[in-house]
Amino acid sequence: MKEKITLTFLLFFALLSIQANADNGATKAVAPPANDDCANATSLTVNTNFLCTAVSTGTVAEATASTTPNACPGSATNANNDVWFKFVAISNEHRIELQNITGSQTNLYHSVFDAGTSGDCSALTASDAIFCSDPNTSNLTALTVGNTYYIRVFANDAGSHDTTFDICVGTTPAPPANDDCIDAVVASSFPFNVAVDASMATNNGGFVDVAGCGGAMNDGVWYEMVGDGSNVTVTVTPTAWDAKIAVYTGSCGTFTCIAESNTGGVSNVETETFTSTAGVTYYINIGHPSGASDFAEGTFNLQISLSGLSIDDLVSKGFSYFPNPVRGGELKMNANENIKSINVYNMIGQEVKRIALSNVFSYKLDMSDLSDGVYFIRAEVGDSTGTFKIIKK
């Protein structure tokens, strides 16, 4: 009986040991990625521009070698941990980008194969390869619309890796709608945030060269806004190109420089802040900082934000106003010095009232004839001016 009990305990502890090893990964089997082979390639959504809003994630962790020839020249021969993607061309030109690469091997390669209209990858050969790239961006040309193209992603060494990445397929876009100053996009709601693809922006009538704005620049893309007296901050975050910001007043082709930012360098973030004047239209030009060569712009994120209206100088002169919101009738204003003038602007910068005053320290602004909405009031008190926002209900 004792021998039976002892044998039972030994068997029990042996089973526990096997389970412990399994829990520690000693006997676990890890499957390769679903797209380990060409036949199971992940289908990619083709973006209509280079902003890469549609991306797919991938990994070479536990990936195995494929039978398809590597097709990369030179030393790029180790495709033992490859994964596959595919897309159908909608243009003769597409861009492939590998992004957010992290892991033990960040030097990834990718090669592209043309599988024709059939999309059959079972018989792909080295001669079907149209591209092999070590850099993470490749620009493909002379593609056939409707053909299926396979992308093979791999780390070029014999080891195994846990590397993950994002992949996207972009399309050469048309020139942007705001390619010219006369077609500037109006920013009217703040903060104004937008992702932009200016890759096909043209130089229109030539370089933009305005005195005081740091020299000529490419005529890139254009935005406009109406000042309200607040501080305006323009921030441009470019992707892999050198950007410049220039801010002007005046009219298209006849500009006065207000501010510019050109710290220089590819992918450098450019930021410029200026104090706006209520009712004044500002043109914001974003382009390459060259007045000699028409360099290509690229993708970028644009933010235009506002900070406190400039009323501090008026407050120092005892200026106050009430009520806000104004409900149908009068806005009352008081000051310790002479209130010289009052100008009222609507949300699109149109002046709707102009009042000239003399020896007035208290004034009631009649707003009963104005529609409900937001207005900007510019007041001149003594030798100071300031602007504030009023809501009329």
Short mmCIF file of all heavy atoms in Angstrom, two decimals, residues 212-239:
data_model
loop_
_atom_site.label_atom_id
_atom_site.label_comp_id
_atom_site.label_asym_id
_atom_site.label_seq_id
_atom_site.Cartn_x
_atom_site.Cartn_y
_atom_site.Cartn_z
N GLY A 212 11.09 91.58 -45.23
CA GLY A 212 10.95 91.36 -43.80
C GLY A 212 10.57 89.96 -43.41
O GLY A 212 10.49 89.64 -42.23
N CYS A 213 10.31 89.09 -44.41
CA CYS A 213 9.89 87.72 -44.09
C CYS A 213 10.98 86.69 -44.37
O CYS A 213 10.70 85.55 -44.77
CB CYS A 213 8.62 87.37 -44.86
SG CYS A 213 7.12 87.58 -43.85
N GLY A 214 12.24 87.09 -44.19
CA GLY A 214 13.33 86.12 -44.23
C GLY A 214 13.70 85.61 -45.60
O GLY A 214 14.25 84.51 -45.72
N GLY A 215 13.40 86.36 -46.64
CA GLY A 215 13.77 85.93 -47.99
C GLY A 215 12.65 85.18 -48.67
O GLY A 215 11.63 84.83 -48.08
N ALA A 216 12.86 84.94 -49.97
CA ALA A 216 11.82 84.28 -50.79
C ALA A 216 11.61 82.84 -50.36
O ALA A 216 12.48 82.20 -49.77
CB ALA A 216 12.22 84.35 -52.26
N MET A 217 10.42 82.32 -50.66
CA MET A 217 10.07 80.94 -50.34
C MET A 217 9.19 80.37 -51.45
O MET A 217 8.63 81.11 -52.27
CB MET A 217 9.34 80.86 -48.99
CG MET A 217 8.01 81.59 -48.96
SD MET A 217 7.18 81.50 -47.34
CE MET A 217 6.66 79.78 -47.30
N ASN A 218 9.06 79.06 -51.46
CA ASN A 218 8.14 78.41 -52.38
C ASN A 218 6.71 78.82 -52.08
O ASN A 218 6.33 79.01 -50.93
CB ASN A 218 8.24 76.88 -52.25
CG ASN A 218 9.46 76.29 -52.95
OD1 ASN A 218 9.50 75.10 -53.22
ND2 ASN A 218 10.46 77.10 -53.26
N ASP A 219 5.92 78.95 -53.13
CA ASP A 219 4.50 79.22 -52.99
C ASP A 219 3.80 77.87 -52.72
O ASP A 219 3.41 77.18 -53.65
CB ASP A 219 3.98 79.86 -54.28
CG ASP A 219 2.48 80.06 -54.28
OD1 ASP A 219 1.85 79.87 -53.23
OD2 ASP A 219 1.93 80.41 -55.33
N GLY A 220 3.67 77.52 -51.44
CA GLY A 220 3.14 76.20 -51.07
C GLY A 220 1.64 76.18 -51.00
O GLY A 220 0.94 76.24 -52.02
N VAL A 221 1.09 76.13 -49.80
CA VAL A 221 -0.36 76.13 -49.61
C VAL A 221 -0.74 77.30 -48.71
O VAL A 221 0.08 77.82 -47.94
CB VAL A 221 -0.86 74.80 -49.01
CG1 VAL A 221 -0.77 73.69 -50.03
CG2 VAL A 221 -0.08 74.44 -47.75
N TRP A 222 -2.04 77.70 -48.77
CA TRP A 222 -2.47 78.96 -48.17
C TRP A 222 -3.67 78.80 -47.27
O TRP A 222 -4.58 78.01 -47.55
CB TRP A 222 -2.82 79.96 -49.28
CG TRP A 222 -1.65 80.38 -50.10
CD1 TRP A 222 -1.12 79.71 -51.17
CD2 TRP A 222 -0.84 81.55 -49.91
NE1 TRP A 222 -0.03 80.40 -51.66
CE2 TRP A 222 0.16 81.53 -50.90
CE3 TRP A 222 -0.87 82.60 -48.99
CZ2 TRP A 222 1.11 82.53 -51.01
CZ3 TRP A 222 0.08 83.60 -49.10
CH2 TRP A 222 1.06 83.56 -50.10
N TYR A 223 -3.67 79.60 -46.20
CA TYR A 223 -4.79 79.68 -45.26
C TYR A 223 -5.03 81.15 -44.95
O TYR A 223 -4.13 81.98 -45.09
CB TYR A 223 -4.49 78.91 -43.97
CG TYR A 223 -4.28 77.43 -44.23
CD1 TYR A 223 -3.04 76.96 -44.64
CD2 TYR A 223 -5.33 76.54 -44.11
CE1 TYR A 223 -2.85 75.62 -44.94
CE2 TYR A 223 -5.15 75.19 -44.40
CZ TYR A 223 -3.91 74.74 -44.82
OH TYR A 223 -3.74 73.42 -45.12
N GLU A 224 -6.25 81.48 -44.56
CA GLU A 224 -6.53 82.85 -44.16
C GLU A 224 -7.45 82.86 -42.94
O GLU A 224 -8.21 81.92 -42.71
CB GLU A 224 -7.15 83.66 -45.30
CG GLU A 224 -8.55 83.25 -45.72
CD GLU A 224 -9.14 84.20 -46.75
OE1 GLU A 224 -9.72 85.22 -46.33
OE2 GLU A 224 -9.02 83.91 -47.95
N MET A 225 -7.34 83.92 -42.17
CA MET A 225 -8.17 84.09 -41.00
C MET A 225 -8.34 85.57 -40.73
O MET A 225 -7.57 86.41 -41.20
CB MET A 225 -7.54 83.42 -39.77
CG MET A 225 -6.17 83.99 -39.41
SD MET A 225 -5.58 83.45 -37.80
CE MET A 225 -6.71 84.35 -36.72
N VAL A 226 -9.40 85.91 -39.99
CA VAL A 226 -9.66 87.29 -39.61
C VAL A 226 -9.28 87.47 -38.15
O VAL A 226 -9.70 86.70 -37.28
CB VAL A 226 -11.13 87.66 -39.85
CG1 VAL A 226 -11.41 89.08 -39.37
CG2 VAL A 226 -11.47 87.50 -41.32
N GLY A 227 -8.46 88.46 -37.87
CA GLY A 227 -8.02 88.71 -36.51
C GLY A 227 -9.15 89.18 -35.61
O GLY A 227 -10.13 89.78 -36.07
N ASP A 228 -8.99 88.91 -34.31
CA ASP A 228 -9.97 89.38 -33.32
C ASP A 228 -9.28 90.10 -32.16
O ASP A 228 -9.87 90.34 -31.12
CB ASP A 228 -10.80 88.21 -32.79
CG ASP A 228 -9.96 87.15 -32.10
OD1 ASP A 228 -8.74 87.38 -31.89
OD2 ASP A 228 -10.50 86.08 -31.77
N GLY A 229 -8.00 90.44 -32.35
CA GLY A 229 -7.25 91.10 -31.30
C GLY A 229 -6.49 90.16 -30.40
O GLY A 229 -5.74 90.60 -29.53
N SER A 230 -6.66 88.86 -30.58
CA SER A 230 -5.98 87.89 -29.72
C SER A 230 -4.60 87.54 -30.28
O SER A 230 -4.23 87.93 -31.39
CB SER A 230 -6.82 86.61 -29.60
OG SER A 230 -6.96 86.00 -30.87
N ASN A 231 -3.83 86.81 -29.48
CA ASN A 231 -2.56 86.29 -29.96
C ASN A 231 -2.82 85.02 -30.76
O ASN A 231 -3.56 84.14 -30.31
CB ASN A 231 -1.64 85.97 -28.78
CG ASN A 231 -1.26 87.22 -28.01
OD1 ASN A 231 -1.04 88.27 -28.59
ND2 ASN A 231 -1.21 87.12 -26.69
N VAL A 232 -2.21 84.93 -31.92
CA VAL A 232 -2.40 83.79 -32.82
C VAL A 232 -1.10 82.99 -32.88
O VAL A 232 -0.04 83.55 -33.14
CB VAL A 232 -2.78 84.27 -34.24
CG1 VAL A 232 -3.01 83.06 -35.16
CG2 VAL A 232 -4.03 85.15 -34.19
N THR A 233 -1.19 81.68 -32.64
CA THR A 233 -0.02 80.80 -32.74
C THR A 233 -0.25 79.80 -33.86
O THR A 233 -1.24 79.07 -33.86
CB THR A 233 0.23 80.06 -31.42
OG1 THR A 233 0.47 81.00 -30.37
CG2 THR A 233 1.43 79.13 -31.54
N VAL A 234 0.68 79.80 -34.81
CA VAL A 234 0.62 78.87 -35.95
C VAL A 234 1.74 77.85 -35.76
O VAL A 234 2.91 78.20 -35.60
CB VAL A 234 0.82 79.61 -37.28
CG1 VAL A 234 0.73 78.64 -38.45
CG2 VAL A 234 -0.20 80.73 -37.43
N THR A 235 1.36 76.57 -35.75
CA THR A 235 2.34 75.49 -35.57
C THR A 235 2.24 74.51 -36.73
O THR A 235 1.15 74.02 -37.05
CB THR A 235 2.10 74.73 -34.25
OG1 THR A 235 2.17 75.66 -33.16
CG2 THR A 235 3.16 73.65 -34.04
N VAL A 236 3.37 74.24 -37.37
CA VAL A 236 3.44 73.30 -38.48
C VAL A 236 4.40 72.17 -38.11
O VAL A 236 5.55 72.42 -37.76
CB VAL A 236 3.91 73.98 -39.78
CG1 VAL A 236 4.18 72.96 -40.87
CG2 VAL A 236 2.87 75.00 -40.24
N THR A 237 3.91 70.94 -38.18
CA THR A 237 4.73 69.76 -37.90
C THR A 237 4.88 68.97 -39.20
O THR A 237 3.99 68.21 -39.58
CB THR A 237 4.09 68.88 -36.81
OG1 THR A 237 3.82 69.67 -35.65
CG2 THR A 237 5.00 67.72 -36.44
N PRO A 238 6.00 69.17 -39.92
CA PRO A 238 6.16 68.51 -41.22
C PRO A 238 6.69 67.09 -41.08
O PRO A 238 7.37 66.76 -40.10
CB PRO A 238 7.18 69.40 -41.93
CG PRO A 238 8.03 69.93 -40.81
CD PRO A 238 7.11 70.07 -39.60
N THR A 239 6.39 66.27 -42.07
CA THR A 239 6.90 64.90 -42.12
C THR A 239 7.94 64.79 -43.22
O THR A 239 7.63 64.85 -44.40
CB THR A 239 5.76 63.89 -42.39
OG1 THR A 239 4.75 64.04 -41.39
CG2 THR A 239 6.27 62.47 -42.39
#
